[in-house]
Amino acid sequence: MITIERSTEQINQTVAALRERFGEKVRAVEQPTPHRLYVTIDPDVVVQAADTLFNSLGARYLISAGVDKRPLNGGFEVLHFFAFDQVNVRCALVIPLKGDPPRIPSITPIIPGAGWAEREFQDLLGIIPEGHPDPRPLVLPDGFPEGLYPLRKDYPYDYKPPLDPNKTFPFKEPPEGTTVVTVGPFFPVLEEPSQWRVFVDGEVVVGCDYRGFYNHRAVEKLGDSALTYNQITALAERICGICGCVHSTSYCQAVEEAAGIEVPLRARVIRTLILELERVHSHLLWLGLACHILGFDYVFMQSWRIREPVMWLAEYLTGNRKHFAINLVGGVRRDITKDQHPRILEVMDKVERETKELAETLLNDMPLLVRLKGTGIFTPEEVRLTGAVGPTARGSGVPIDVRKDHPYAAYDLMEFDVVTYDGCDNLARTLVRVGEIFEAIKIIRQCVKLLKELPEGELMAELPDEIPPYRHGMHAVEAPRGEVFHYVLTGENNRPYRWRVRAPSYQNIQAVPVMFKPGTTIADVPITLGSVDPCFSCTERMEIVDVKSNETKVLTEQELYQLSRQKTKELRGQK
Amino acid sequence: MVDSKVKQLLLALRAGRVTFAYPFEPRPSEPGFRGRVVVDTDKCTGCGGCADVCPTRCIRIIDVSPTHRIIRRYLDRCIHCGRCEDVCRYGAVRLDLEYEISTTNKSDLFIEQHLFMGSCSRCGRCYVPPTPLDRLMVVGFRKDEEV
Ligand code: SF4
Ligand code: SF4
């Protein structure tokens, strides 16, 4: 059980440890709520401080954010976020930076999961992470002019600089004697355009390189320079096309925390219900797609058939199949009335029954099991280092779940289990998701029960006239893919000064290279990538470059699927 | 193995055909669906509340003179969030159940309203006349009057 005492104890212990080790270099300690801690430290001890939190105190790394504070105090700021699970504490190291370009020692050598976040603030704010093992650009397009940093406050949000067409991305050199298999820029089965260069020796994968952010939409920039608090809720929802509600909920909670707004219980229960509805449909969607990659189109069809009534239910409750637009800062926009309850329960019963039947037949299917079992191994220690979250982590037996560890919305009132499996492979991650569908249905039933008891109509909190500027808020939501984290620094003009979003795939995709263990074959690449559920769709093409002969071979989507499915077929033949 | 295949077959048979013949048969949306944006120009007072909250900022307000306000709704950008409907105190904008609104011509989704407003004698800016009587008296309220 998480109590305030345990949170306070953890915070005191953390502050004491930092003070003891760094003394004067700890400039300020701020504790806006019993579960939040902001420690301002000097830049020269950032690596040691991160080490203290991450290695000595066992915190989990979340994300880093850069802030351009020049209009306020003439400098920059970097925040490294950590979470202490089980005791419901989130902690930020705040590092004020001087000079231009500002420099900060990189924490990536001790926390590999920080690699992207640091490259990102290097690209967008020009804060240089010194000693970063891989300081290549990450976000900006090839040929973006040097010395221009889009997230700085003096960069207009609608400015488009001319790009230099001759500049190309510095891909990693493949190891001696290997062949490069390029997957992407539109990855098979991945919705987002992303490019993977897989280094293979014959059929076997020996390493890989990633290039993504082809579709970076400058959402954060828009949020802190053009939109207002409540307009952002609609934008936040559009960060993901499958699990949008998690973003708007997480964003609203961050703003509510910064402004000290108490959301009415009924609104919190409705948020919980909608979030779980989203989880049910998202996991069913994933199950279908994962099986599609492996050539089990039967499961693909059936699980999408089971999913469809959930989408109709969402449309009935919120007004849209997806992008529910249910959240506003302070509460929700639509009530779930008594006459809607029977239909919710009815759909849930049906989905539960049918998913159970489907899962049973699925898990007795030998070829499927063989394809999933033992591939994409991801150990608990690797989970910790990469900061992987959600079913990706829980499939390795790491029981992190924001709903339990840092209760939000109405999860503190719900009874449910955190589903974990310790197989550490693609099968375990599949089982976790199947299990979570049932847990989600359980939660939805409890929500309906609770809604029956609560008075109708209490949906919005009393809002203050103005959300106080320059306060921090950080909040997370357990999305179907893992923890979604939002940080908001409130600002003037009815909009945030800085808004930082971290989607779960941000950490999980970084974990994929680790999953390509020696012995993985090309045919296992799609499902391993797929198993972290980084938003799937279909491929355009895949290119194979043989380094030795400099020959290029382009595989079409069909051929890639065929490779993956061929393997299943061969297995079927053997049985 | 064979066992599970038989089970799978039975499952599929029981579900039967689930696809619809849409668009050859109608598929009504659920009640409460947020579909096409309909503006009742008679009710709209030009207060600008909807333009304030619209997340895509597709409602633009242009004051061409102290008594003449133009509201342009570029609904090709609309995301059907329904915020405009929420905040409109006059019930002038509504999202109905219609969803077959895709078009090859953007201007099909464009609504322009001309409103005749009260003019503040101090600052000279447009405002919404407070009573229906005041509204009757604003310049150009009747269609045939020259502005
Ligand atoms: S809020 Fe209503 S009355 Fe005001 S401008 Fe918009 S549609 Fe017209
Ligand atoms: S529905 Fe939303 S996006 Fe469309 S006009 Fe109204 S407020 Fe704007």
Side-chain angles (χ1 to χ4, degrees):
Chain A
M1 201 40 212
I2 299 169
T3 56
I4 294 215
E5 286 77 50
R6 283 193 58 196
S7 303
T8 317
E9 198 185 305
Q10 179 70 49
I11 286 186
N12 292 343
Q13 189 194 340
T14 311
V15 174
L18 289 172
R19 278 243 158 85
E20 192 200 336
R21 203 159 156 204
F22 307 111
E24 279 300 288
K25 304 217 156 170
V26 176
R27 296 276 167 196
V29 174
E30 202 187 326
Q31 208 188 319
T33 79
H35 308 290
R36 299 288 184 266
L37 176 66
Y38 295 84
V39 186
T40 311
I41 53 161
D42 280 357
D44 51 331
V45 292
V46 53
V47 178
Q48 295 90 314
D51 181 58
T52 311
L53 289 177
F54 189 70
N55 288 326
S56 319
L57 298 169
R60 182 165 56 86
Y61 172 75
L62 293 171
I63 192 66
S64 308
V67 189
D68 175 8
K69 281 207 159 174
R70 286 174 304 163
L72 301 178
N73 61 14
F76 288 83
E77 199 172 272
V78 165
L79 294 103
H80 292 303
F81 296 101
F82 294 87
F84 292 97
D85 298 319
Q86 271 98 42
V87 290
N88 189 8
V89 171
R90 284 177 196 279
C91 161
L93 290 178
V94 185
I95 307 113
L97 300 172
K98 291 265 171 280
D100 198 359
R103 291 165 191 280
I104 182 170
S106 167
I107 60 168
T108 307
I110 53 162
I111 309 174
W116 279 19
E118 293 195 322
R119 282 164 71 184
E120 193 173 326
F121 63 59
Q122 167 175 285
D123 272 20
L124 297 177
L125 284 143
I127 301 173
I128 298 168
E130 285 185 317
H132 193 295
D134 179 17
R136 294 176 299 164
L138 180 77
V139 180
L140 292 180
D142 303 340
F144 197 84
E146 302 247 334
L148 265 187
Y149 302 107
L151 261 186
R152 290 192 175 185
K153 289 285 168 188
D154 47 12
Y155 187 102
Y157 77 92
D158 48 1
Y159 176 63
K160 263 194 198 160
L163 299 184
D164 175 2
N166 299 325
K167 254 208 212 154
T168 50
F169 184 75
F171 278 110
K172 265 189 211 160
E173 278 300 313
E176 190 78 7
T178 56
T179 303
V180 182
V181 180
T182 307
V183 187
F186 291 94
F187 187 76
V189 298
L190 268 180
E191 205 162 77
E192 302 141 293
S194 71
Q195 186 176 354
W196 293 84
R197 286 162 56 90
V198 185
F199 309 140
V200 293
D201 187 358
E203 269 281 292
V204 179
V205 177
V206 290
C208 74
D209 189 14
Y210 170 83
R211 164 96 170 111
F213 294 80
Y214 289 101
N215 222 352
H216 192 263
R217 290 299 202 212
V219 161
E220 291 170 8
K221 180 75 183 174
L222 209 54
D224 56 35
S225 57
L227 301 181
T228 60
Y229 281 116
N230 269 336
Q231 287 177 331
I232 293 176
T233 55
L235 179 66
E237 201 157 57
R238 277 160 181 78
I239 292 173
C240 179
I242 303 172
C243 51
C245 191
V246 295
H247 283 283
S248 68
T249 311
S250 175
Y251 160 77
C252 287
Q253 286 172 349
V255 178
E256 282 150 11
E257 179 183 294
I261 300 168
E262 269 301 319
V263 180
L265 180 58
R266 190 173 179 88
R268 290 194 278 133
V269 176
I270 292 176
R271 278 183 183 172
T272 311
L273 196 155
I274 301 288
L275 287 172
E276 290 307 312
L277 215 54
E278 201 167 61
R279 190 179 323 277
V280 172
H281 92 70
S282 176
H283 280 346
L284 281 170
L285 174 141
W286 177 86
L287 187 64
L289 281 176
C291 291
H292 178 59
I293 302 170
L294 293 177
F296 289 82
D297 279 342
Y298 164 81
V299 182
F300 173 51
M301 304 283 175
Q302 294 303 321
S303 75
W304 281 49
R305 170 180 66 77
I306 298 170
R307 169 179 178 260
E308 197 55 24
V310 184
M311 307 309 290
W312 292 332
L313 179 66
E315 183 180 325
Y316 174 62
L317 294 177
T318 66
N320 208 345
R321 288 165 65 92
K322 277 299 318 126
H323 295 149
F324 309 132
I326 193 105
N327 284 312
L328 281 187
V329 172
V332 294
R333 289 176 52 198
R334 275 200 199 194
D335 204 352
I336 294 180
T337 50
K338 279 218 166 57
D339 50 317
Q340 292 176 321
H341 297 170
R343 175 148 169 205
I344 303 178
L345 296 176
E346 199 183 301
V347 173
M348 284 307 121
D349 288 345
K350 190 160 175 248
V351 171
E352 187 178 34
R353 196 182 62 237
E354 294 188 327
T355 311
K356 210 171 255 162
E357 289 168 350
L358 185 66
E360 263 166 30
T361 67
L362 193 75
L363 299 175
N364 287 326
D365 207 314
M366 275 322 283
L368 183 72
L369 290 189
V370 174
R371 279 308 302 275
L372 293 173
K373 213 171 159 68
T375 49
I377 294 284
F378 192 43
T379 64
E381 177 57 16
E382 287 162 349
V383 171
R384 199 179 81 86
L385 287 177
T386 54
V389 285
T392 312
R394 293 196 284 274
S396 301
V398 180
I400 43 173
D401 188 324
V402 192
R403 296 174 293 173
K404 272 270 193 272
D405 298 334
H406 308 266
Y408 56 94
Y411 284 107
D412 46 344
L413 305 174
M414 304 291 155
E415 264 175 46
F416 64 98
D417 299 322
V418 176
V419 184
T420 55
Y421 282 88
D422 21 345
C424 305
D425 53 4
N426 291 334
L427 179 65
R429 294 191 277 277
T430 309
L431 290 174
V432 166
R433 288 195 177 89
V434 172
E436 278 180 7
I437 297 177
F438 301 121
E439 291 304 313
I441 293 174
K442 229 161 84 185
I443 298 176
I444 292 175
R445 291 211 180 100
Q446 294 173 52
C447 287
V448 172
K449 191 156 157 270
L450 212 59
L451 283 178
K452 276 200 185 110
E453 293 159 9
L454 291 169
E456 275 186 23
E458 282 177 15
L459 301 179
M460 282 298 278
E462 282 286 327
L463 293 181
D465 287 342
E466 192 201 10
I467 291 182
Y470 311 118
R471 295 226 190 136
H472 307 282
M474 51 170 150
H475 234 291
V477 162
E478 183 71 26
R481 289 162 186 73
E483 177 190 47
V484 161
F485 176 79
H486 282 234
Y487 164 72
V488 171
L489 176 62
T490 60
E492 283 160 1
N493 302 326
N494 196 23
R495 71 173 59 105
Y497 187 83
R498 177 81 167 96
W499 170 39
R500 178 75 166 105
V501 183
R502 196 217 58 196
S505 302
Y506 198 87
Q507 294 305 121
N508 289 347
I509 291 182
Q510 293 184 68
V512 170
V514 184
M515 293 183 194
F516 292 147
K517 293 276 145 66
T520 312
T521 61
I522 306 179
D524 286 328
V525 169
I527 184 60
T528 300
L529 251 166
S531 76
V532 308
D533 194 5
C535 293
F536 278 180
S537 96
C538 286
T539 179
E540 293 249 321
R541 68 201 182 107
M542 147 171 161
E543 197 180 40
I544 292 188
V545 188
D546 194 322
V547 180
K548 281 185 227 157
S549 57
N550 249 345
E551 225 175 77
T552 302
K553 189 179 169 223
V554 177
L555 287 192
T556 63
E557 169 191 355
Q558 285 309 323
E559 286 167 318
L560 185 64
Y561 268 129
Q562 220 136 43
L563 259 180
S564 173
R565 291 165 169 207
Q566 190 65 40
K567 185 160 177 190
T568 310
K569 268 214 198 101
E570 281 162 16
L571 283 166
R572 262 194 199 134
Q574 287 164 11
K575 289 278 137 29
Chain B
M1 158 99 189
V2 176
D3 207 35
S4 79
K5 287 288 170 230
V6 172
K7 266 194 205 143
Q8 289 176 7
L9 196 64
L10 284 177
L11 253 179
L13 282 176
R14 205 177 63 212
R17 208 188 85 172
V18 290
T19 43
F20 297 110
Y22 180 83
F24 304 108
E25 70 180 35
R27 285 290 301 153
S29 33
E30 300 283 351
F33 178 68
R34 302 188 307 264
R36 177 176 61 188
V37 176
V38 190
V39 182
D40 185 339
T41 43
D42 283 343
K43 285 191 189 154
C44 174
T45 61
C47 69
C50 51
D52 247 13
V53 297
C54 176
T56 58
R57 296 174 298 155
C58 69
I59 308 175
R60 296 314 230 184
I61 295 194
I62 304 128
D63 288 343
V64 284
S65 83
T67 56
H68 184 185
R69 169 170 281 184
I70 303 178
I71 301 187
R72 294 200 175 125
R73 293 170 205 261
Y74 298 89
L75 295 179
D76 53 318
R77 268 175 67 175
C78 169
I79 52 171
H80 302 270
C81 66
R83 287 278 285 148
C84 48
E85 182 185 26
D86 282 4
V87 297
C88 182
R89 290 174 52 190
Y90 308 94
V93 48
R94 201 161 53 79
L95 270 63
D96 70 7
L97 298 184
E98 184 56 57
Y99 57 89
E100 291 170 329
I101 48 174
S102 52
T103 170
T104 50
N105 186 357
K106 260 193 187 180
S107 63
D108 291 347
L109 294 170
F110 176 68
I111 301 175
E112 181 169 291
Q113 288 166 262
H114 289 253
L115 290 124
F116 298 104
M117 312 288 291
S119 160
C120 173
S121 53
R122 276 204 172 172
C123 69
R125 302 227 308 250
C126 297
Y127 73 98
V128 179
T131 68
L133 192 64
D134 289 325
R135 234 190 130 200
L136 272 178
M137 296 201 291
V138 300
V139 188
F141 183 73
R142 283 177 296 277
K143 286 202 177 64
D144 46 1
E145 222 165 319
E146 280 293 310
V147 195

